[in-house]
Structures are given as C-alpha cells and as structure tokens.
Amino acid sequence: MFNQKYKNHILIFSGSFIIRLIFFIALFVWITNFSAFTPEKQALFPALNSDSEGYLQIAQNIHQYGEFSESPELPLSPNSFRTPLYPGFVAGILALGLGKIGVIIIQILLASATSVLIYMLGIKFLSHKVAILAAILFAVEPYSIFVSSILLTETLFTFLLVLSIYLFTKDSTWKNELLLKGSAGITLGLATLTRPVSIFLIPLGFLIILLMKSREYKLKSVIIAIVFGLTAVLSLMPWMIRNNNVFGVYDLSSNGWNNVLFWNVSAHRSL
C-alpha cells in the first residue's frame, strides 16, 4: 500500500539520484584523469572555482578552528562576504568524517528530494501530468545536475526555497497552519542565510497571507502572517548580530549589490 501510494515519489527521487550520481562519477573520473587541471586543483575537487574554493576554505576553518574566515592561513580574519549556512553545512559534514565526497552525496540527495517537492507542488496547483513533467525537467536539467556535483550553494538553497514554498502552501487546520507557516518562515530564513536574494520573499509572503485570507478570518490571518514573518526574521538575527559585533553593521553580507553591478553594469555600458 505504501509503495503504491508513493510510487511516483520513489521513482522521481530514484531517477534524479541515479542521474546525478552517474554525472558526478563521470565528472570525478574526468577531473582526476583526463582534465588539464593541475594536481593542486584536482586535489581541491569538488571545489572547481573561486566561489567553491572559498566555501571550502571557510568550512575547513570552522571545522578546525571554529572561526568563520576565508583566510588560508593563520591568523584568521573574520569574513562578512559569505553568508553562513552553506559553509556551516559543509563543515558539519566534514566534522562527521564524510569528507568532500560526502558533501556531494548529500547534495545529490537534497536535489533528488527537491524533484519530489516540485512534483508535489505540481499535483496541488496544476495536474498530475504537469507535475510529472516538471519533476522530470528538474531532474534532467543540466545546470542543476552540475551544481549538485560541486561545492556551491545552489543545491541547498533550491531545496530550502522549494521546501519553504511547499510548507507555505500546504493546507491545514488553524493550529497546524501556525506550525506550517512558522516552519515555512524558518526554512525561508535558512534559505536566505544560504543566498541572501530570498530575503525579498519574506515581506512578500507576509503580504500574501494577509491578502489571501477571507475577511472573516482577518485576525487569524494577521496572527499567521506575524508568525511567518517573525520566524523568518528571527532566523536571520543571530548572523546579523554577529556581523554587528564584528563589523559594526546589521547586515547579512558585505556583498550588497555587488552581484547586480558585476553582471549588469558592463552590459548596460556596452549598449
């Protein structure tokens, strides 16, 4: 009965996992045997670029010294450019003795779980066929397969964001809705601590709760919206307090608008 009820969930998860695992093994063999990477670069795999090397360095410093720093050697300087969740995620796996390969296996599991969440959201809002198609498209999408095989934030962020949307939209009773919206707020907060871009979804979610509820439940909707917003913001506060104590600024990252400027200013100047 269980297998029949969750047959599609299991197939989607298994298919996504197998595809990503095969790709990772192929990438590992290519990097270590046939690529033009230097032995030093090969040793860093699955850190393939400056961002992934930075995350790995911070994770190793957390694991070895308990310091959030990207410095490659002592003395360690505190870092404000990166947000904490992904380096902490990697450091936790390293602390368990699973190594860098263990990080990738867990990322592949998270990406496969994301495929299932997409399927479940599709069932709720669209149709069974569309849900299957959406899950398959995510499972075989080349970029998501690639980033799940290296040390980058995208896989963890996407899982947390989709999980937050799933919890946010799940139907429930009044008491359970408080729990679900609170869980959605915490999960969205964790996603924001992975990639700060999702911070804009916190006020959006707050407004959606207020606007979607009928007038007779206005007080309840206000309470639910407050629970959602408060749990999301409280999830961010420890890191913002840390940044204020260390750098004198209540902010998530010193990155600010750097990515927007880096990727867009040159394009505008060329017009």
Side-chain angles (χ1 to χ4, degrees):
M1 181 65 71
F2 175 85
N3 287 343
Q4 284 299 114
K5 183 178 180 181
Y6 295 103
K7 179 181 177 181
N8 288 336
H9 301 71
I10 295 169
L11 288 174
I12 290 167
F13 181 91
S14 301
S16 180
F17 181 83
I18 291 169
I19 290 169
R20 282 167 165 75
L21 184 61
I22 291 172
F23 177 84
F24 171 66
I25 293 171
L27 182 63
F28 177 79
V29 170
W30 179 74
I31 290 290
T32 55
N33 293 278
F34 305 108
S35 73
F37 287 106
T38 64
E40 291 78 14
K41 282 287 186 180
Q42 291 178 7
L44 286 172
F45 181 79
L48 286 184
N49 59 27
S50 59
D51 281 335
S52 54
E53 289 174 12
Y55 292 126
L56 178 60
Q57 185 64 63
I58 294 173
Q60 290 173 334
N61 286 338
I62 293 172
H63 176 49
Q64 294 175 13
Y65 306 109
E67 294 290 337
F68 193 89
S69 171
E70 202 171 331
S71 301
E73 56 188 25
L74 298 173
L76 302 180
S77 301
N79 184 280
S80 64
F81 187 78
R82 311 285 184 187
T83 42
L85 197 70
Y86 186 71
F89 166 79
V90 176
I93 296 171
L94 296 179
L96 292 173
L98 300 178
K100 292 178 288 185
I101 303 302
V103 176
I104 300 305
I105 297 301
I106 293 175
Q107 286 189 172
I108 290 173
L109 290 170
L110 292 177
S112 303
T114 304
S115 297
V116 176
L117 288 170
I118 289 171
Y119 167 73
M120 295 167 70
L121 285 167
I123 289 288
K124 178 178 176 61
F125 292 106
L126 300 167
S127 67
H128 182 262
K129 288 183 179 180
V130 173
I132 290 285
L133 178 61
I136 291 174
L137 287 175
F138 179 81
V140 302
E141 198 276 315
Y143 184 72
S144 72
I145 293 173
F146 175 70
V147 294
S148 66
S149 296
I150 62 175
L151 297 179
L152 286 176
T153 59
E154 279 85 343
T155 300
L156 179 61
F157 172 76
T158 303
F159 170 75
L160 291 170
L161 181 62
V162 177
L163 177 59
S164 179
I165 294 169
Y166 173 76
L167 293 170
F168 187 89
T169 58
K170 188 174 176 61
D171 296 324
S172 65
T173 61
W174 155 245
K175 289 184 179 179
N176 286 339
E177 188 164 11
L178 284 174
L179 178 61
L180 285 169
K181 291 299 190 291
S183 299
I186 292 170
T187 310
L188 183 56
L190 294 176
T192 304
L193 290 173
T194 307
R195 293 179 69 88
V197 65
S198 59
I199 194 170
F200 301 107
L201 296 178
I202 296 174
L204 178 62
F206 184 89
L207 290 173
I208 288 173
I209 295 171
L210 292 179
L211 295 174
M212 292 296 288
K213 297 295 179 181
S214 62
R215 292 182 179 179
E216 59 183 299
Y217 296 111
K218 199 66 178 178
L219 178 59
K220 289 183 178 180
S221 68
V222 170
I223 294 172
I224 293 170
I226 290 172
V227 168
F228 169 78
L230 195 59
T231 52
V233 171
L234 288 177
S235 300
L236 307 178
M237 286 308 298
W239 182 248
M240 297 177 72
I241 291 171
R242 175 265 187 189
N243 283 342
N244 182 65
N245 291 338
V246 176
F247 300 104
V249 178
Y250 282 105
D251 208 343
L252 289 174
S253 169
S254 60
N255 189 7
W257 291 93
N258 178 69
N259 285 340
V260 175
L261 294 172
F262 180 83
W263 292 109
N264 291 289
V265 167
S266 60
H268 285 289
R269 285 176 63 90
S270 66
L271 294 176

